[in-house]
Amino acid sequence: KPLAPQERDVRIPHARVRSLLLFGLLIFVAGIGNGFAQSTDSPSLSENSSATAQASASAINWNNGLHIRSRDGKAELELRGMVQFDDRIFVGPYPPRKTADFILRRGRVLLLGKGFNRLSFRIMAESQKNGSMVVRDAYVDFRIKDELQIEVGKFKSPIGLERLQAVRNLMFSERALATDLIPDRDIGIQLHGDLLGKRLTYMGGIFRGVPDGGSSENRTNHGADAEFRIFAYPLRDNTTSPLAGLGFGIGGSAGSEKGTLPSFSTAGLAQFFSYRGGAVADGERTRITPQASYYWRRMGMMAEYAMSAQDVRLGTVTHRVANTAWQASASYVLTGENASYADVKPAHAFDPANHHWGAFEVAGRINSLHVDPSAFPLLADPGASAHNADGFLVGFNWYPHEYFKVVFNYGHTEFTGGSAAGNRPTENVFISRFQFSFY
């Protein structure tokens, strides 16, 4: 039940004040880290510094995080982190159920390590809505050579283009509807590498298997998935060509799933589709996702199509449900910096005294998700779950510093079905994000 206006006026500001105070504390910590970085990079106060002091300065420093290197240079350890605070304001007569206005969207701590020029590892813990922490990444990578590397542990499934993009580098506050059909993190082993002078990358392996959009920490599976992705940059070496930043490829998976089924949500984090209670995955599942990206100077573009087909059982009846989705996104950096799959790096950090304001970017996206009609009415309730979601998102991103990012989005999503009266009410949401990361 939506809160009454009086309740919203009383309760929400206190949560916002607490979150803003925490954000201010993080900025204070960032200032300390930045000061530490400057002190380690600045010349010694004494021209006759001892060799021991020089060796210590080279072993411990600040490089977008705390960086520790062994004296012989054969081992490295890095400590990094990120927090994201979101504010969501819904416009319309009925705000979606089970959503919060001001939230700590993510809080992450990362430990990265390298050794012997061959081995590397990554451990990342992330805060959950209930305040607990969960290990999102925990893997070891063994590099035989650039063309052949072996990765073992828990990490992102090698399928989707936008899913594989680091969350701190997204064009928008939330991933597109197409990514709802792509698995997140899973436990497995994969081979990956770069071929033909990094013009072709490949990933492929065997994983435990998770539902669409799911991760291995919240479910178990009695089957397994074979997953792959191939992505090509045909003209990557020709840096003068406008097509140097063109990439395209395909990812997919095949396997068996038993148990958990996915649900789908909007950019406002409001769930618009779920299966009936008692419905379970029970049989073969396949996914396929052709994808492409293009980056040239200030402009960036991304497009992806996803199809996920799963055998779903309710009682003694089983149907093959094939859901589809797509998205197309574009961005343009107003201040002249290069757009990229990674984050925009401001040419000048925010410094009003010298008329520097950081980097500014505008972005737009259209996306759609279609639920297979065979899911209705037996496997899913048409009065509670929508058949289709179609919408767009426009955004403005500000990069005052390489460690900070501020995101402003407006999202509009229309639905077919999903209500006892017909169509679920259209979602209109304003999303603001304050991101701080040493990542």
Side-chain angles (χ1 to χ4, degrees):
K1 176 183 178 181
L3 295 175
Q6 299 93 326
E7 294 177 293
R8 293 173 64 87
D9 291 340
V10 172
R11 296 175 60 184
I12 292 174
H14 293 297
R16 293 184 178 180
V17 168
R18 289 194 299 270
S19 299
L20 286 172
L21 287 174
L22 180 56
F23 186 64
L25 178 62
L26 289 166
I27 292 177
F28 175 73
V29 173
I32 295 176
N34 192 46
F36 176 74
Q38 293 176 355
S39 66
T40 56
D41 293 339
S42 60
S44 172
L45 296 177
S46 171
E47 295 182 359
N48 298 318
S49 301
S50 66
T52 301
Q54 293 176 1
S56 298
S58 64
I60 303 176
N61 58 64
W62 184 270
N63 182 16
N64 199 21
L66 184 63
H67 191 132
I68 303 173
R69 184 176 63 251
S70 64
R71 300 298 175 86
D72 59 9
K74 293 183 179 180
E76 299 180 18
L77 195 65
E78 297 180 59
L79 181 63
R80 300 182 180 183
M82 181 191 74
V83 291
Q84 294 175 333
F85 293 99
D86 287 7
D87 190 22
R88 285 169 167 76
I89 300 174
F90 295 92
V91 181
Y94 303 105
R97 293 168 293 178
K98 298 183 180 180
T99 61
D101 288 282
F102 202 92
I103 61 172
L104 172 63
R105 182 67 177 91
R106 293 180 182 89
R108 290 180 171 179
V109 178
L110 295 89
L111 183 64
L112 310 175
K114 298 179 182 178
F116 310 107
N117 299 319
R118 301 284 183 186
L119 290 172
S120 64
F121 72 86
R122 172 185 171 111
I123 300 173
M124 182 181 74
E126 180 177 288
S127 65
Q128 300 292 286
K129 293 180 180 180
N130 60 6
S132 63
M133 298 290 288
V134 63
V135 176
R136 296 280 279 156
D137 289 335
Y139 64 82
V140 176
D141 190 275
F142 177 60
R143 185 180 66 85
I144 301 173
K145 53 183 179 178
D146 289 344
E147 295 81 2
L148 181 59
Q149 301 176 56
I150 303 173
E151 198 168 2
V152 182
K154 179 182 178 181
F155 47 90
K156 285 187 177 181
S157 294
I159 298 177
L161 175 64
E162 191 185 35
R163 175 66 77 188
L164 287 170
Q165 188 177 32
V167 70
R168 70 186 185 280
N169 299 334
L170 297 177
M171 286 187 195
F172 305 94
S173 55
E174 300 296 334
R175 291 183 167 92
L177 290 172
T179 307
D180 277 0
L181 302 185
I182 305 299
D184 190 358
R185 286 166 168 83
D186 202 355
I187 295 174
I189 179 171
Q190 75 169 4
L191 300 179
H192 66 102
D194 299 317
L195 306 173
L196 304 176
K198 296 187 177 181
R199 292 191 296 273
L200 181 68
T201 64
Y202 74 92
M203 303 175 178
I206 302 297
F207 295 81
R208 187 168 67 177
V210 296
D212 297 342
S215 291
S216 58
E217 63 261 12
N218 54 18
R219 50 96 58 227
T220 58
N221 184 27
H222 300 288
D225 280 4
E227 302 177 358
F228 78 95
R229 180 175 182 260
I230 300 173
F231 204 83
Y233 301 91
L235 300 177
R236 188 171 199 164
D237 295 336
N238 189 355
T239 56
T240 61
S241 171
L243 298 179
L246 174 64
F248 54 86
I250 190 169
S253 71
S256 176
E257 175 79 13
K258 290 186 179 295
T260 308
L261 287 167
S263 59
F264 307 135
S265 300
T266 66
L269 301 183
Q271 181 178 293
F272 66 88
F273 174 85
S274 63
Y275 290 91
R276 291 183 184 273
V280 295
D282 188 19
E284 294 183 359
R285 177 182 55 211
T286 57
R287 302 185 183 99
I288 195 73
T289 171
Q291 53 201 247
S293 64
Y294 177 66
Y295 297 94
W296 174 247
R297 297 179 180 173
R298 301 183 182 193
M299 182 175 65
M301 303 178 69
M302 180 185 298
E304 193 166 13
Y305 172 86
M307 185 278 291
S308 176
Q310 169 73 62
D311 290 339
V312 180
R313 176 176 58 83
L314 180 60
T316 60
V317 179
T318 300
H319 286 302
R320 182 76 167 171
V321 179
N323 301 323
T324 58
W326 61 269
Q327 68 104 351
S329 307
S331 67
Y332 187 81
V333 184
L334 300 173
T335 45
E337 291 85 352
N338 289 332
S340 73
Y341 189 68
D343 226 342
V344 173
K345 301 296 183 184
H348 302 284
F350 182 72
D351 185 4
N354 292 308
H355 305 288
H356 295 155
W357 310 101
F360 299 95
E361 177 186 40
V362 293
R365 177 174 77 199
I366 55 175
N367 59 176
S368 176
L369 189 150
H370 172 73
V371 179
D372 192 329
S374 66
F376 301 96
L378 177 65
L379 304 175
D381 180 2
S385 293
H387 294 68
N388 299 292
D390 303 277
F392 66 85
L393 208 68
V394 293
F396 178 81
N397 301 327
W398 177 33
Y399 304 85
H401 192 279
E402 64 175 319
Y403 299 145
F404 295 92
K405 180 179 180 181
V406 183
V407 177
F408 300 101
N409 290 163
Y410 167 71
H412 174 90
T413 307
E414 298 179 358
F415 306 94
T416 303
S419 170
N423 296 334
R424 177 189 176 98
T426 298
E427 177 183 283
N428 294 285
V429 58
F430 290 93
I431 307 171
S432 302
R433 168 167 293 171
F434 303 92
Q435 174 179 294
F436 159 62
S437 66
F438 295 110
Y439 209 117

